[in-house]
Amino acid sequence: MKYSKAIVSLAFTIALCYALNRGWGTAPAFGRFLSPFTGFWVNAEKPLSDKPVQGSLQLAGLQDEVTIEYDELGIPHIFANNDHDLYLAQGYVTAKDRLWQMEFQTHYAAGRLTEIVGEKALESDKYNRRMGAVYGAEKSLAGMMEDPQSKVALEAYSEGVNAYIDQLKVRTLPVEYKLLGYQPERWTPIKSALFLKNMSFVLASGTDDLRMTNILRKYGREVAEELFPNYPFEESPIIPTGTPQDFTPLPLPKAPADFVGTGSMKASTERDKGIGSNNWAVSGSKSASGLPLLANDPHLTLSLPSIWYQMQLVGPNVNVYGATMPGTPNVISGFNKDIAWGVTNVGADIVDWYEVKFKDAKMNEYWHDGQWKKITKRPERYIMKNGEVVLDTVLFTHHGPIVYLDNEKPFKKNIPTGHALRWIAHDKSQELTTFYQLNRAKNYDDYVKALSFYAAPAQNFVFASNQDDIALWVNGKFPLKAKLQGKYILDGTDKMADWQGFIPHAHNPHVKNPARGFVSSANQSSTDPIYPYYINWEFAASERGRRINQRLEGMSKITVDSLRALQNDNYNLKAAGILDKLISLVKAPTAKQAKAIKVLQTWNKQNDVGEIAPTIFETWSNLLYESIWKDEFAYDENIPMKYPSLDKTIQLIKQEPTAKWFDNVNTKNKVETLEELASTSLTATLDSLAKWQKADMGDTWAWANYKSTDIKHLIPGLDAFSKMNVKIGGGTGIVNATTERTGPSWRMIIQLGKNNAVKGYGVIPGGQSGNPGSPHYDDMVETWRQGKLNELLFLQNKNEKSARIKKTIKLTK
Amino acid sequence: MANNISTSDKESTFLGKLVSAFFSPLTSIIIMLAFVSQYFFDWWVIALAAFTACYLQAKSSGEAFRKGAGGIAMLWLLVTLYYHIATDGILSSKIASILPLNGNAGLLIVITVLIGGLVGGFAGMSGYLVRSSLNK
């Protein structure tokens, strides 16, 4: 009797502990998670105190002493006596603030999310690996390890991350590990390479080849080329027209024979609007100080923890400040005492698809250049959260991976099945060398040399120095192709359709000290059509670029503040160009329409927070665009196509208002006119907005309400760790490119100066800490929202005192 | 600390009885044991702490349950409150939104304390029952 009571009680206690010690579905292990000794409680941090604190810490692997000073925003300033210690400390402090994010993002890049979240991530993981993310990272790591300096940086960075992981206990694990119930694994250089590769995924994996081939098949080459022209109607190219060419171009390869691919009867995700960036530099002749100023704001998906991590790195021959990417050594966009640089994306055509002809169903050989060639196979293993293993094999031709076979359903609908992918991100590369050297560059020549190592994702590197040089290089490794080669799907059997080498680095589009006194880029066309090589047939819409160039043209005595105003410019150039025309198309407005038109006519064209006109204009122009093209180019599950660009549409509206494209081909015996479409789409706009707010036109239609910008945590659905509905103006095609989910992820303005007089200003839409329980998790969001910048604390050396330093840690070996 | 509460409250009738039902020298031992051991071991060491203390000291299974539950609940309440107050609830309110508690951090504290108390109570009772089954 006594035994049985004891056994029952003991068994129940053990069962209770067991049940509380394991996760249930998506729920965490409640015992461990809620315990105030091991659970999330421990991750909460106290409010900041104003009293500076000092500390010291032993760190295995250091060769000498390192000092880390944190300022009031939690930004570390690292002082080391050699490169090894500098990058070890960078790895250590980054992991201390961002370990979970670093590991989660590299697991994503490596196609290993199933290990954290289980089978629901399998298709996304397969997509990443089949596109060759790991294959590319392995090659790129091999390239980076060939440079001794990159090797030291990568290995020391890993040591630093691991030194932090080694200090972790169950109770000090970042809260996301506790929530999802797993543990960090050791960091290795391949993870840094995976992170860099993932930037190619984010910025340079967009591809329209399949959609364009489907259009080619349906409408023929003439219509395809007319509606999808190779240079925009309105443009202000990055390299100004008339920039002298300082190289003798190579002859272009002979164009491959015309080829109409079978396209795809399967399988669209549009490229994210708003992924793009702005940067510019103005020369001393246009500035109040007499020396250049430089500005950069890369637009990416707004997320928490923040994409960027600010840092100052000081060591022998280097003192650099800027935005770093958690997961890779060096500063990516920043400045030192002599120079400043920043990046925007180049939408180059570096993704091409080759239709594969297999010998037979065994798929061991494919036809190319008049012979059967061997397919190589790469096995892939996916491990589920529960330990189950899924095996997969990826087939490769000499071009690259056959991402999906004909009987498979692509994860993204712009990926053709049965085609091999040729992507620059698969090539050996040395991006880290570029950043290592840029961090230490003293002048224009150093900058150009640093850029020559860079491959992908191609970036517009803007530059300014205190020698009053400004420059911009459209920089990356670009394949040497025939004009338009790769606009459509290519013939995988034709040797002439292969990439025939690369454009020499010195021939990349570039400009130094142009007469107009400024350089800029906003992802628009790299050059005008006179440039001898083919980079791409389409780029991001030109509005941001045109607006920036217009404004800079008119500015003089430029200061940090006037450039800050330009970064926050909400002027809607698209509306300025087309709104009056649209209004004139509504010939006999109804009472409701007339009221809306009045609001539109009195609008100052600013996409400001409280305005209702931008809500009406953006909805109207989208619905009109949709009604013009939907009937002919509708997205179809089986035959994905794309709509002609907005630029082309505006050209048609202005110059060919009776074009046949305005007719709705689905209505028999009736020919719709542009006027009718304009009127019906305006009515539809007002109806849908009234339905959305359950109220007629009024304050609730305010632009910020409509746009509703969210800065979301990387784990979907964790709204409590996110900043939802941030009230901020701007939008797609606006210099302040803040859309629903994307926007300026780092804003920086640098005023160059001689003798250490350089001044930097910057902000990120988040904070330095990745811990949702830290006051530094999102303490810069409000500054960012208001369009303000923090003055960046640029210390000359470790002996410089500043009242802004709140915490000092001495790391000893 | 808990010991002090129980002695000073002995005067009042109902509350005094209630408090002394849950708190006594045995409770202090459990709290001390659990407090120290949780810095070295995982969360479930609270069960071992309550088990061991009650194995050695409890006089009935009812007392063992109450003191086990009271000790761990008290310890967890104090530590939880410390974090919640010292950090202005920066994380507790967020977690209370992720768990289906409508952002109510108070409720989250109650649930935390209940879970700790439940484990402490059953572990304590098991400690007493195991001892008494071994002693004959």
Side-chain angles (χ1 to χ4, degrees):
Chain A
M1 184 59 197
K2 274 189 168 170
Y3 285 113
S4 59
K5 259 192 183 170
I7 288 167
V8 169
S9 175
L10 203 56
F12 181 79
T13 308
I14 291 170
L16 184 64
C17 288
Y18 173 77
L20 291 168
N21 199 45
R22 53 159 289 183
W24 296 89
T26 54
F30 283 109
R32 179 177 296 121
F33 185 68
L34 294 179
S35 157
F37 289 84
T38 58
F40 77 87
W41 301 98
V42 186
N43 298 86
E45 293 177 18
K46 289 179 196 167
L48 304 170
S49 111
D50 219 36
K51 218 174 71 199
V53 285
Q54 313 264 335
S56 67
L57 188 77
Q58 237 184 351
L59 214 56
L62 281 180
Q63 295 170 351
D64 206 341
E65 194 179 272
V66 173
T67 307
I68 300 168
E69 301 189 329
Y70 286 94
D71 63 29
E72 84 283 11
L73 291 164
I75 299 165
H77 305 256
I78 301 177
F79 301 89
N81 297 325
N82 56 66
D83 274 2
H84 170 271
D85 286 359
L86 186 65
Y87 293 111
L88 190 149
Q90 183 178 10
Y92 177 79
V93 298
T94 309
K96 201 162 179 290
D97 274 325
R98 303 290 189 90
L99 176 65
W100 177 81
Q101 170 193 18
M102 292 163 68
E103 194 180 51
F104 187 80
Q105 287 178 329
T106 47
H107 264 62
Y108 168 78
R112 290 180 55 199
L113 274 191
T114 53
E115 294 169 33
I116 303 170
V117 302
E119 208 173 337
K120 57 176 175 255
L122 183 58
E123 286 308 310
S124 152
D125 279 354
K126 274 191 173 174
Y127 169 72
N128 276 10
R129 287 205 221 174
R130 284 172 168 223
M131 286 283 286
V134 184
Y135 167 76
E138 285 167 359
K139 282 201 165 178
S140 134
L141 180 63
M144 292 191 286
M145 286 300 203
E146 283 170 11
D147 172 2
Q149 285 155 337
S150 295
K151 187 167 186 280
V152 167
L154 277 169
E155 287 175 348
Y157 189 91
S158 292
E159 274 184 75
V161 177
N162 287 330
Y164 176 68
I165 293 174
D166 288 341
Q167 291 174 358
L168 283 174
K169 299 189 177 64
V170 174
R171 52 185 276 112
T172 51
L173 276 179
V175 71
E176 289 93 342
Y177 287 107
K178 296 182 180 177
L179 199 57
L180 296 172
Y182 71 110
Q183 303 259 331
E185 62 179 27
R186 296 192 75 72
W187 191 268
T188 54
I190 186 74
K191 287 174 177 276
S192 299
L194 279 162
F195 186 89
L196 286 168
K197 267 308 117 167
N198 195 47
M199 291 316 293
S200 273
F201 251 99
V202 173
L203 297 169
S205 65
T207 170
D208 281 331
D209 304 13
L210 170 60
R211 298 190 189 111
M212 289 309 301
T213 291
N214 285 336
I215 289 166
L216 182 65
R217 289 180 63 85
K218 186 161 178 188
Y219 292 106
R221 204 167 287 270
E222 199 182 321
V223 169
E225 287 295 316
E226 192 222 316
L227 289 184
F228 299 87
N230 304 310
Y231 194 71
F233 164 59
E234 292 176 295
E235 184 57 287
S236 175
I238 293 173
I239 305 303
T241 298
T243 302
Q245 191 177 296
D246 58 0
F247 57 87
T248 314
L250 300 178
L252 293 187
K254 198 170 148 267
D258 269 0
F259 175 72
V260 179
T262 44
S264 179
M265 296 306 133
K266 283 208 185 233
S268 142
T269 47
E270 294 286 337
R271 213 177 299 185
D272 284 328
K273 289 181 184 134
I275 295 246
S277 315
N278 305 325
N279 65 23
W280 60 79
V282 298
S283 75
S285 63
K286 278 180 87 76
S287 79
S289 69
L291 281 176
L293 283 91
L294 178 141
N296 185 202
D297 54 299
H299 314 150
L300 291 165
T301 300
L302 297 171
S303 54
L304 287 168
S306 292
I307 297 159
W308 301 97
Y309 185 73
Q310 292 182 59
M311 192 180 288
Q312 181 177 6
L313 291 168
V314 188
N317 307 317
V318 63
N319 183 357
V320 63
Y321 188 113
T324 70
M325 296 199 129
T328 55
N330 297 304
V331 167
I332 306 293
S333 159
F335 66 99
N336 60 36
K337 74 180 174 56
D338 297 313
I339 69 141
W341 78 98
V343 290
T344 70
N345 194 43
V346 180
D349 187 4
I350 40 64
V351 175
D352 282 325
W353 296 95
Y354 290 87
E355 195 171 304
V356 178
K357 187 173 159 191
F358 287 112
K359 187 172 186 184
D360 50 41
K362 278 186 271 178
M363 300 189 288
N364 288 325
E365 287 169 85
Y366 69 103
W367 187 251
H368 178 257
D369 191 22
Q371 51 187 304
W372 293 111
K373 295 189 174 173
K374 276 244 167 323
I375 293 273
T376 54
K377 297 183 178 179
R378 182 186 163 103
E380 295 285 1
R381 277 179 101 231
Y382 301 85
I383 304 167
M384 304 300 118
K385 199 176 185 181
N386 61 14
E388 220 175 280
V389 172
V390 173
L391 297 175
D392 189 31
T393 304
V394 190
L395 309 184
F396 281 72
T397 72
H398 70 289
H399 288 116
I402 301 169
V403 181
Y404 290 100
L405 299 174
D406 273 331
N407 57 358
E408 292 171 326
K409 190 171 163 34
F411 180 68
K412 295 203 172 173
K413 285 162 185 158
N414 57 345
I415 306 299
T417 59
H419 288 68
L421 166 66
R422 178 72 182 96
W423 187 16
I424 192 67
H426 294 152
D427 291 33
K428 208 169 174 180
S429 61
Q430 298 197 316
E431 282 80 16
L432 276 189
T433 308
T434 301
F435 294 112
Y436 182 92
Q437 295 192 2
L438 275 178
N439 285 201
R440 292 158 175 79
K442 293 181 167 65
N443 51 45
Y444 177 78
D445 292 341
D446 289 351
Y447 149 82
V448 175
K449 181 169 172 260
L451 296 194
S452 68
F453 294 93
Y454 191 90
Q459 300 289 302
N460 298 300
F461 280 83
V462 70
F463 168 87
S465 77
N466 62 4
Q467 297 110 49
D468 204 8
D469 282 328
I470 58 168
L472 196 152
W473 276 64
V474 178
N475 195 65
K477 199 171 161 193
F478 299 118
L480 183 63
K481 299 203 250 182
K483 290 267 173 183
L484 305 184
Q485 180 185 345
K487 179 174 183 178
Y488 306 96
I489 280 171
L490 294 163
D491 182 359
T493 68
D494 179 4
K495 185 167 173 270
M496 295 304 295
D498 285 18
W499 289 4
Q500 311 285 333
F502 295 93
I503 298 175
H505 183 258
H507 298 193
N508 279 352
H510 59 274
V511 56
K512 184 188 176 192
N513 298 331
R516 66 182 186 182
F518 68 89
V519 293
S520 84
S521 76
N523 317 102
Q524 77 271 41
S525 303
S526 303
T527 65
D528 64 18
I530 293 167
Y531 180 67
Y533 301 101
Y534 168 66
I535 305 275
N536 203 348
W537 65 275
E538 62 169 352
F539 288 88
S542 65
E543 283 93 9
R544 277 183 293 120
R546 283 190 288 134
R547 174 67 179 167
I548 291 167
N549 289 347
Q550 255 175 29
R551 287 282 308 269
L552 288 174
E553 199 82 60
M555 288 164 77
S556 59
K557 300 248 178 265
I558 290 170
T559 62
V560 169
D561 246 12
S562 56
L563 291 189
R564 188 173 66 85
L566 179 52
Q567 281 187 332
N568 287 285
D569 183 290
N570 282 338
Y571 190 71
N572 193 324
L573 198 62
K574 186 173 72 176
I578 195 75
L579 183 58
D580 288 345
K581 175 76 189 168
L582 293 188
I583 290 173
S584 74
L585 289 170
V586 185
K587 296 285 188 228
T590 63
K592 247 190 195 171
Q593 286 180 334
K595 236 172 99 188
I597 285 172
K598 204 167 160 212
V599 168
L600 289 170
Q601 279 169 331
T602 52
W603 175 35
N604 60 5
K605 310 287 192 297
Q606 300 286 339
N607 274 23
D608 288 341
V609 171
E611 293 283 344
I612 63 173
T615 306
I616 301 171
F617 171 73
E618 294 291 348
T619 314
W620 186 17
S621 56
N622 283 338
L623 287 179
L624 176 62
Y625 179 63
E626 191 71 20
S627 65
I628 295 170
W629 299 117
K630 193 175 175 194
D631 51 330
E632 288 101 353
F633 294 91
Y635 165 68
D636 172 328
E637 175 80 24
N638 296 315
I639 313 167
M641 289 193 279
K642 67 179 271 162
Y643 292 174
S645 68
L646 198 64
D647 173 78
K648 180 70 202 176
T649 312
I650 290 173
Q651 185 190 8
L652 284 177
I653 291 174
K654 286 184 169 171
Q655 298 182 342
E656 298 174 54
T658 55
K660 68 168 184 172
W661 304 107
F662 295 118
D663 176 36
N664 183 346
V665 295
N666 298 325
T667 54
K668 301 265 184 301
N669 310 321
K670 186 173 182 328
V671 177
E672 284 81 4
T673 63
L674 177 58
E675 282 87 356
E676 281 173 74
L677 295 188
S679 177
T680 50
S681 57
L682 179 56
T683 301
T685 296
L686 301 174
D687 290 349
S688 75
L689 291 176
K691 205 169 150 197
W692 159 62
Q693 275 299 336
K694 298 186 184 68
D696 284 337
M697 190 171 70
D699 293 344
T700 55
W701 290 20
W703 176 235
N705 267 352
Y706 181 76
K707 179 159 72 78
S708 184
T709 297
D710 296 335
I711 309 174
K712 289 195 180 172
H713 189 272
L714 289 172
I715 301 173
L718 284 195
D719 290 0
F721 287 177
S722 311
K723 282 288 209 190
M724 307 297 280
N725 202 3
V726 179
K727 302 277 185 227
I728 181 168
T732 306
I734 311 291
V735 178
N736 175 14
T738 314
T739 70
E740 290 84 341
R741 295 283 293 114
T742 66
S745 57
W746 155 240
R747 281 200 184 113
M748 164 180 95
I749 298 177
I750 309 301
Q751 178 180 312
L752 278 296
K754 288 202 191 286
N755 307 318
N756 294 317
V758 61
K759 274 188 175 308
Y761 300 83
V763 72
I764 52 177
Q768 287 292 104
S769 173
N771 176 12
S774 162
H776 286 313
Y777 180 63
D778 53 12
D779 57 350
M780 286 186 238
V781 172
E782 186 55 18
T783 312
W784 175 84
R785 188 190 72 80
Q786 294 175 358
K788 294 180 181 163
L789 301 169
N790 298 309
E791 183 172 346
L792 307 175
L793 178 62
F794 185 64
L795 299 166
Q796 310 296 341
N797 54 58
K798 78 174 156 195
N799 300 321
E800 185 182 337
K801 296 276 172 281
S802 164
R804 290 178 62 184
I805 295 300
K806 300 298 174 197
K807 193 161 100 184
T808 306
I809 302 176
K810 282 223 183 312
L811 300 180
T812 53
K813 56 178 173 174
Chain B
M1 194 188 326
N3 197 12
N4 290 340
I5 294 171
S6 67
T7 43
S8 65
D9 281 354
K10 257 175 191 161
E11 303 305 314
S12 71
T13 52
F14 176 70
L15 193 65
K17 274 183 193 157
L18 190 69
V19 169
S20 58
F22 286 91
F23 301 100
S24 69
L26 174 54
T27 325
S28 322
I29 295 171
I30 294 172
I31 290 179
M32 296 295 283
L33 212 54
F35 183 78
V36 174
S37 58
Q38 280 185 95
Y39 275 99
F40 301 99
F41 300 99
D42 209 343
W43 73 278
W44 43 257
V45 79
I46 54 170
L48 289 183
F51 181 95
T52 312
C54 292
Y55 181 96
L56 298 172
Q57 292 277 325
K59 294 179 186 65
S60 71
S61 59
E63 189 204 11
F65 184 88
R66 289 194 310 270
K67 304 284 161 72
I72 301 298
M74 177 56 106
L75 175 65
W76 276 27
L77 176 67
L78 291 175
V79 180
T80 301
L81 277 180
Y82 164 75
Y83 280 118
H84 180 70
I85 293 165
T87 66
D88 288 343
I90 187 169
L91 194 53
S92 20
S93 54
K94 290 177 184 172
I95 296 294
S97 302
I98 291 170
L99 300 177
L101 303 174
N102 260 333
N104 187 336
L107 201 55
L108 184 62
I109 293 172
V110 170
I111 290 174
T112 300
V113 169
L114 271 179
I115 285 181
L118 217 56
V119 172
F122 280 105
M125 189 167 81
S126 302
Y128 171 80
L129 289 173
V130 167
R131 189 195 61 191
S132 56
S133 70
L134 292 179
N135 290 352
K136 239 189 309 188

